[in-house]
Amino acid sequence: SERVERSVQNTLPPFLDARGQFPWLYEQILVKHQAVNIPSIDELPAEAALDREGLLSWESMSALFIPLSQWNTGDLILGLSCKRHHPDWSAGLLPQLRLLGETLASVLRRRDLEAEREEALRFELLMTLTSSQLASAWSDQIGTCIENALQGVLDFTKNDQAGFLTILEDTGQAYLSHLRFLGGISPAPKQIEYAEKCPWLYETIVKRQEVYFFNTLDDLPPEAAKDRQHVEWVERSRYAERSPAQTPRT
């Protein structure tokens, strides 16, 4: 039970900066596509000092890494580690593990393909339903159909809000003509001075007609500092609006 508990406690993070935390291993495995056998971390070369620290943080005294076939979601690596130096790894272990790793990798590829097919079918259904509703709608029903389609986009993408942003290029203003958002979410402002408040995004999306997305505000480039400042202010305002401490009670 102690071994199970420790294995759970030492579970690796879902994502890690492999190039930054393990630069030497990254070069050997992912760039040169070589298997790396580390009987003892004390035998690592001097240029692998960062890698040694990383392995120590995992309580790994020895390790074995085998690169597998590439896949469209990224490189696959089979890794083993041991809490003691010089584990009893036989000479024939590497080809056996490579064969096992490729078998497991093929299962992962099949899973990903099935997920991609399922997502494609869901999107095709969304397009079919949206097209059917719009084709049969009267002019006074178009707005409702658009909002239903935006709700379908929310369900498909698992996001919080979806809307149509109309740009007035002569003034640099933008307003939301249609918006759908999840319950408990404060909606985005209906109108903003887009060119003034978010000049970098305005230039990129409106002027240059480029598709742009970011997962976090840290993804924005340094030249988008003003845009980031405005988005942060909007998010703080929306949070204050929905915070119980800020809501008057009757």
Side-chain angles (χ1 to χ4, degrees), residues 120-134:
L121 288 174
R122 287 176 55 228
F123 183 76
E124 183 178 340
L125 177 60
L126 173 61
M127 288 293 297
T128 300
L129 292 175
T130 300
S131 300
S132 175
Q133 290 177 1
L134 290 172

Side-chain angles (χ1 to χ4, degrees), residues 204-221:
T204 301
I205 300 172
V206 178
K207 294 296 186 180
R208 298 204 300 266
Q209 295 287 298
E210 296 178 5
V211 176
Y212 184 78
F213 73 93
F214 55 92
N215 294 312
T216 70
L217 291 178
D218 291 335
D219 294 338
L220 289 170

Side-chain angles (χ1 to χ4, degrees), residues 197 220 224-234 236:
K197 303 294 185 182
L220 289 170
K226 189 172 183 179
D227 307 64
R228 173 173 179 159
Q229 183 180 14
H230 177 71
V231 174
E232 288 176 335
W233 177 83
V234 170
R236 286 196 300 269

